[in-house]
Amino acid sequence: MDEPEEGYRLPVKFRYGDDYHLAEIISKKVVNGENLYYIHYEAFNKRLDEWVDESRMKLDEIQGPKKTDAKTPVKGQGAPCSRPSSPNGEHSQCSTPTLSQMMKKGPPQKKKKLDEKLMVHKSGSSQIDVTPIPSPSMHVPESEDVEDSMPSAPRQTGSMSAHHDTDIVTRMKNVELIEIGKYRIKPWYFSPYPQDLTELPVLFLCEFCLKYLKSRTCLKYHLKKCLLRHPPGNEIYRKGNISFFEIDGRKNKIYAQNLCLLAKLFLDHKTLYYDTDPFLFYVMCEVDNRGHHILGYFSKEKESSEDYNVACILTLPQIQRKGYGKLLIELSYELSKVEGKTGSPEKPLSDLGLLSYRSYWSQTILEILMGLKPNEHGERPAITINEISEITSIKKEDVISTLQHLNLISYFKGQYVLTLSKEARDSHAKSMSRRKIRIEPKALHWQPKDWSKRGKW
């Protein structure tokens, strides 16, 4: 029987339950004379990666490393990303695949047809005699000229950029626990905090300025001196106990960098850079008599040639599945409405990000379609893709992919028809009843700046 080594694969039992899943060994260490292995469960997200001992492994079913065209860089062998950046050092320059390599091109659609008026048919049942259009792939808008409008490679400047992990160090979680406010949170991914702090059992963060400290004692002394009780920017929205602040990445560079370090613990599909100048950060807070407590944020470029209205977006794990993710997304589109533009999030999205955006797009578009009424002659209501895009500020390609994802578009008797079945309407009503918190446009006090006319951000 082979000795388990880095790159080998074998079945490993999940921490909870009795199920075994094939896992790859990423790293190995010896603690108190016992071998421990850092493993990645194949076909599962990296946030489930963990250290395990041999008692949870089926050593008799061990397999050799996967055969690949290019070897995975090994720690200590001079890989181009042998150590990622920290706040005290230079940032790494990792190679990344092109956008077209990371996304699978979907089937081309007849753009002219989809731009025409779409008849909206509200049927009483889910069965109609039409031929549905194939569903699109996850990330790629379905028009023929999309690829030409995309950048040839992910952006390599700014606070966080599209990233494809090739370094064994960044594949491993390096922070065991963080404490921020009243919460202790187990991070999901690697983040380049200073190495001496990552060796501590708990990393302490000030929930107001996001400074990282090595102990609760240090945190208590810091809180006595910290002048912040809210993010260091302009409050642009307040309704009830929910508040949003706009932070300029150039004016508040330290806060922006600390925010990116925190976000990287929970975002795997981005790599970290420390040039925050080209970015604005919109931080969502819960307000009480102690101050403004961070719940999540999104960032956006001051100038985006690709019409991105979000670069990175995150709700902290302790408040996920409570509607705050959609609140962040909704605010990003409200800002786009004020700007008079359509927008889209920067790709690729994380798995949870994609789910949140799919849900938001679906609910927003269905809300528009459900509100359409027959005209004065009793004819079925009609609407174009462009009109939906203008009303919602959702980019046209995202509107099309969402309608196809929901299987609402059908080609019937020479034209495209949107069919809203009773089941679809009931499902929409149920999902909207669970959406308790919404953005109130009247509570938004924000004016866009023309960054193109500014010599320096």
Side-chain angles (χ1 to χ4, degrees):
M1 182 177 65
D2 292 337
E3 183 74 17
E5 296 291 345
E6 294 176 9
Y8 280 63
R9 298 178 300 147
L10 75 172
V12 178
K13 187 167 76 171
F14 267 151
R15 180 181 300 179
Y16 306 107
D18 298 320
D19 294 334
Y20 282 81
H21 291 276
L22 191 64
E24 178 189 359
I25 298 173
I26 306 299
S27 185
K28 176 182 177 181
K29 67 180 180 180
V30 179
V31 178
N32 297 326
E34 181 182 19
N35 290 331
L36 293 179
Y37 302 89
Y38 192 84
I39 56 95
H40 167 66
Y41 297 102
E42 294 195 355
F44 286 84
N45 191 278
K46 278 171 56 180
R47 56 179 166 267
L48 297 177
D49 294 2
E50 58 180 335
W51 288 98
V52 301
D53 57 33
E54 293 182 354
S55 68
R56 291 172 56 188
M57 306 169 107
K58 289 188 176 180
L59 298 174
D60 56 337
E61 298 183 26
I62 194 167
Q63 304 174 19
K66 275 185 176 180
K67 292 182 179 180
T68 55
D69 294 334
K71 292 184 179 179
T72 302
V74 178
K75 185 178 179 181
Q77 289 188 354
C81 298
S82 59
R83 182 71 195 168
S85 60
S86 72
N88 302 320
E90 296 296 323
H91 63 255
S92 62
Q93 295 292 339
C94 300
S95 62
T96 55
T98 64
L99 196 62
S100 58
Q101 290 172 328
M102 290 191 290
M103 301 191 298
K104 183 181 178 182
K105 177 97 168 141
Q109 303 296 330
K110 294 183 179 179
K111 186 176 178 181
K112 181 179 178 182
K113 285 286 185 183
L114 285 174
D115 283 342
E116 293 173 355
K117 286 280 183 179
L118 295 168
M119 303 301 295
V120 182
H121 172 55
K122 298 179 181 179
S123 69
S125 69
S126 60
Q127 299 298 321
I128 54 174
D129 186 18
V130 294
T131 304
I133 295 175
S135 298
S137 57
M138 292 175 72
H139 298 305
V140 184
E142 299 301 321
S143 59
E144 295 183 45
D145 57 346
V146 166
E147 194 167 9
D148 293 335
S149 66
M150 292 288 190
S152 60
R155 174 175 45 77
Q156 289 296 316
T157 60
S159 58
M160 301 185 83
S161 304
H163 174 53
H164 184 71
D165 230 340
T166 57
D167 178 30
I168 194 169
V169 175
T170 62
R171 291 183 69 184
M172 297 169 56
K173 302 170 192 175
N174 61 330
V175 178
E176 184 66 26
L177 281 173
I178 64 167
E179 183 173 306
I180 179 168
K182 61 182 179 181
Y183 298 102
R184 276 199 172 185
I185 309 169
K186 192 172 183 63
W188 296 350
Y189 308 111
F190 173 92
S191 183
Y193 282 99
Q195 193 167 2
D196 58 329
L197 296 183
T198 63
E199 295 169 356
L200 300 172
V202 182
L203 179 64
F204 294 85
L205 302 180
C206 172
E207 63 177 326
F208 302 115
C209 72
L210 305 182
K211 182 177 180 179
Y212 41 87
L213 302 116
K214 64 181 181 179
S215 69
R216 185 177 282 113
T217 302
C218 292
L219 177 61
K220 286 180 179 178
Y221 282 117
H222 167 79
L223 287 173
K224 290 179 181 178
K225 299 184 295 180
C226 184
L227 301 177
L228 289 180
R229 285 301 177 266
H230 60 73
N234 299 321
E235 187 178 41
I236 63 170
Y237 180 89
R238 170 78 74 91
K239 184 182 179 185
N241 66 339
I242 298 298
S243 176
F244 280 89
F245 283 79
E246 180 185 67
I247 292 96
D248 188 321
R250 182 182 69 85
K251 295 179 180 177
N252 299 284
K253 194 182 294 288
I254 300 300
Y255 181 90
Q257 290 177 352
N258 287 340
L259 179 60
C260 291
L261 280 170
L262 171 62
K264 186 64 187 72
L265 291 170
F266 307 102
L267 294 174
D268 182 46
H269 63 297
K270 299 286 184 176
T271 190
L272 207 59
Y273 291 84
Y274 292 93
D275 175 20
T276 60
D277 289 19
F279 286 83
L280 296 168
F281 298 82
Y282 296 88
V283 179
M284 176 174 60
C285 299
E286 185 178 43
V287 185
D288 62 19
N289 56 8
R290 291 183 53 248
H292 295 65
H293 311 279
I294 183 171
L295 300 176
Y297 89 104
F298 70 87
S299 62
K300 65 183 292 187
E301 292 178 279
K302 294 174 180 176
E303 291 185 278
S304 174
S305 58
E306 293 85 16
D307 293 328
Y308 293 138
N309 63 355
V310 165
C312 295
I313 185 167
L314 172 73
T315 52
L316 291 175
Q318 71 270 19
I319 52 95
Q320 288 180 357
R321 302 184 65 82
K322 295 181 179 179
Y324 291 108
K326 285 194 184 70
L327 203 67
L328 285 166
I329 296 171
E330 189 173 10
L331 182 77
S332 72
Y333 282 106
E334 287 299 327
L335 299 184
S336 293
K337 289 177 185 178
V338 176
E339 292 175 315
K341 299 177 181 178
T342 60
S344 184
E346 185 176 311
K347 314 300 188 300
L349 291 166
S350 67
D351 56 343
L352 298 179
L354 179 63
L355 288 173
S356 295
Y357 266 96
R358 278 287 187 212
S359 180
Y360 173 80
W361 290 333
S362 299
Q363 290 180 2
T364 303
I365 293 170
L366 282 170
E367 200 169 28
I368 298 294
L369 299 180
M370 296 282 285
L372 294 175
K373 305 294 182 185
N375 62 20
E376 57 187 15
H377 302 295
E379 297 174 346
R380 291 173 183 166
I383 191 169
T384 66
I385 297 294
N386 282 335
E387 287 170 345
I388 296 174
S389 181
E390 289 170 6
I391 294 169
T392 62
S393 280
I394 299 172
K395 202 161 186 175
K396 186 169 66 173
E397 290 81 4
D398 295 330
V399 174
I400 294 170
S401 67
T402 302
L403 291 172
Q404 293 178 322
H405 175 77
L406 294 171
N407 288 324
L408 295 183
I409 288 187
S410 305
Y411 193 68
F412 185 62
K413 293 185 177 179
Q415 65 179 341
Y416 284 98
V417 178
L418 294 178
T419 303
L420 299 179
S421 67
K422 183 177 184 303
E423 286 79 0
R425 299 199 300 272
D426 290 345
S427 176
H428 173 67
K430 185 177 180 181
S431 65
M432 293 302 290
S433 69
R434 295 194 298 263
R435 193 168 161 188
K436 303 297 184 183
I437 49 176
R438 300 286 300 271
I439 291 293
E440 175 56 60
K442 292 180 181 178
L444 178 63
H445 304 287
W446 180 79
Q447 289 296 326
K449 298 181 178 69
D450 187 356
W451 298 100
S452 64
K453 294 181 179 179
R454 297 180 175 231
K456 195 171 184 180
W457 286 317

